[in-house]
Amino acid sequence: MNRLPAVDVAAIELVRVRLPLVTPFRTSFGVQTERDALLVRVLAEDGPGWGECVTPATPVYTEEYTDGAAHVLEHVLVPVLLRAGRRLHAEDVAPRLRGLKGHRMAKAALEGAILDVQLRAAGRSLATHLGATRDRVPAGVSVGIPDGGIPELLELVAGHLDDGYVRIKAKVARGHDAQPMQALRARFGAALRLQVDANAGYDPDAPEDVATLDALDELELVQIEQPFAPDRLLDHARHAARWRTPVCLDESILDVARAVEALELQACRIVNVKPGRVGGPLESVRIHDACRDRGVPVWCGGMLETGIGRALNVAVAAMPGFTLPGDTSASGRYFAEDLTEPFVLRDGHLAVPDGPGIGREPRAEMLRTAWRRQVRLP
Ligand code: NPG
């Protein structure tokens, strides 16, 4: 990555928008019917740059949640960032905020927005900047836990396969796990690229949970994602050693140091990289590089992002180490109208934006419709 010229930041705005989801998304931690998103708009001479904070509305996935992120951005992160000077590189964000613990999703939105401004000023796309080697990325899709049980699950998956998605990730939780996944195998056969995501919902010491996961291990899955709590790396390693199916970690991977630790402990063989969860695009590159050096495949997760966050994810997913399809679904999977020009599924792939920066910005009329409130920090 070449170092880009710094930009002079005039102001930073926090823009809150709300978009209804086309269908409710149900996981082990509840049901989501809308995306209440917090955007960061960095104003600079060469025009605005955009970042999206991927926090969910409540702290169900990690500690972070949207009202908390909005508060810490307004009252702590942005003031501290700007106090040290307004001439900024994206590389300055993490070091300037290092003394402030956690809040990686909030920090990631800031870093992403500043990088977007820098790239726009330089007339370079994010994908080019990151050394992307593809102009389109294969798209997987994440399937929630349907109200209608197995029949509805089969129908949903059939629909996604008809749309062209190249792999299915199914959410599993106690009461919705081995049986529905067996039903998917029975219906769609061995050719279905199927993986499961437990969102840390199982107990490594509970015999019934272990029996369930052992049954999932029989199903030729691409991976079992995050079966246990994020900090239980040794428990992941203990069970991963018995399973044929590779374990993938998501919530556990907070930064490159934790990724390396997880790999050295053999807690996982695959890493889910989410730029939001790990503090931004720059740490995502470091995780990508560390995994690539070790021959470990990575893929890009999703957090129901609007087109702003999705654009970042798609550029990241175009880097060479992203050898597994990600949760980089088309806009239409979640939104009737995306905030930005939509991402469209073509032949199972999304095109990587090639315009300057992330290559997407909110459409004025959509921003008006979805807008809820805004804070400007001078
Ligand atoms: O396609 O953007 C997407 C969503 C993929 O299932 C998905 N995300 O646990 O990975 C996850 C889950 C999630 C969504 C987590 C929202 C947190 C918030």
Side-chain angles (χ1 to χ4, degrees), residues 181 196 244 323 355 358:
M181 298 310 118
V196 295
R244 281 179 301 174
T323 52
I358 59 171

Side-chain angles (χ1 to χ4, degrees), residues 25 29 32 56 61 142 169 171 197 199 225 250-251 272 274 302-305 310 327 329 334:
F25 189 69
F29 40 71
Q32 205 168 331
Y61 168 80
S142 173
K169 158 169 139 176
K171 292 286 181 182
D197 181 6
N199 285 115
E225 186 180 357
D250 172 12
E251 287 93 322
N272 172 336
K274 284 179 181 163
M303 305 271 287
L304 310 180
E305 291 92 343
R310 205 159 291 271
D327 285 341
S329 307
Y334 293 109

Side-chain angles (χ1 to χ4, degrees), residues 207-218:
E208 346 50 284
D209 283 1
V210 171
T212 296
L213 293 162
D214 287 353
L216 290 170
D217 185 40
E218 300 293 316

Side-chain angles (χ1 to χ4, degrees), residues 100-356:
L100 303 163
K101 305 293 184 276
H103 296 289
R104 289 181 170 82
M105 296 179 191
K107 291 173 179 173
L110 267 179
E111 184 187 88
I114 289 166
L115 184 58
D116 188 36
V117 185
Q118 285 185 281
L119 286 165
R120 284 174 197 267
R124 188 186 305 168
S125 74
L126 176 61
T128 304
H129 184 63
L130 298 177
T133 48
R134 276 163 288 179
D135 59 7
R136 58 178 209 156
V137 295
V141 64
S142 173
V143 185
I145 299 172
D147 281 337
I150 292 176
E152 190 181 344
L153 177 69
L154 296 178
E155 208 176 301
L156 283 172
V157 169
H160 291 314
L161 294 175
D162 279 348
D163 289 341
Y165 285 105
V166 301
R167 72 98 174 101
I168 301 292
K169 158 169 139 176
K171 292 286 181 182
V172 290
R174 289 193 188 114
H176 175 86
D177 37 39
Q179 241 193 334
M181 298 310 118
Q182 285 155 354
L184 284 175
R185 262 288 168 257
R187 161 84 183 267
F188 298 102
L192 176 68
R193 285 170 93 179
L194 176 65
Q195 63 196 56
V196 295
D197 181 6
N199 285 115
Y202 294 93
D203 178 345
D205 300 315
E208 346 50 284
D209 283 1
V210 171
T212 296
L213 293 162
D214 287 353
L216 290 170
D217 185 40
E218 300 293 316
L219 292 175
E220 303 288 338
L221 304 173
V222 179
Q223 56 191 271
I224 297 178
E225 186 180 357
Q226 198 71 50
F228 310 126
D231 52 357
R232 308 218 33 190
L233 292 183
L234 292 177
D235 289 311
H236 280 99
R238 174 161 62 91
H239 290 291
R242 303 187 300 105
W243 294 330
R244 281 179 301 174
T245 314
V247 168
C248 169
L249 291 178
D250 172 12
E251 287 93 322
S252 295
I253 308 296
L254 299 176
D255 54 21
V256 66
R258 181 65 57 85
V260 168
E261 187 180 351
L263 292 172
E264 303 225 322
L265 290 172
Q266 299 184 328
C268 67
R269 284 195 270 151
I270 298 176
V271 171
N272 172 336
V273 178
K274 284 179 181 163
R277 191 196 64 235
V278 304
L282 302 178
E283 192 70 7
S284 305
V285 172
R286 289 189 276 271
I287 296 175
H288 163 273
D289 294 350
C291 289
R292 201 166 176 228
D293 289 348
R294 291 168 174 76
V296 171
V298 302
W299 58 280
C300 186
M303 305 271 287
L304 310 180
E305 291 92 343
T306 74
I308 297 294
R310 205 159 291 271
L312 169 65
N313 290 350
V314 168
V316 165
M319 295 167 67
F322 283 78
T323 52
L324 292 168
D327 285 341
T328 43
S329 307
S331 298
R333 156 79 181 94
Y334 293 109
F335 309 112
E337 288 279 354
D338 203 338
L339 202 56
T340 65
E341 180 198 326
F343 283 89
V344 180
L345 193 63
R346 283 214 178 81
D347 193 20
H349 290 70
L350 299 190
V352 179
D354 57 5

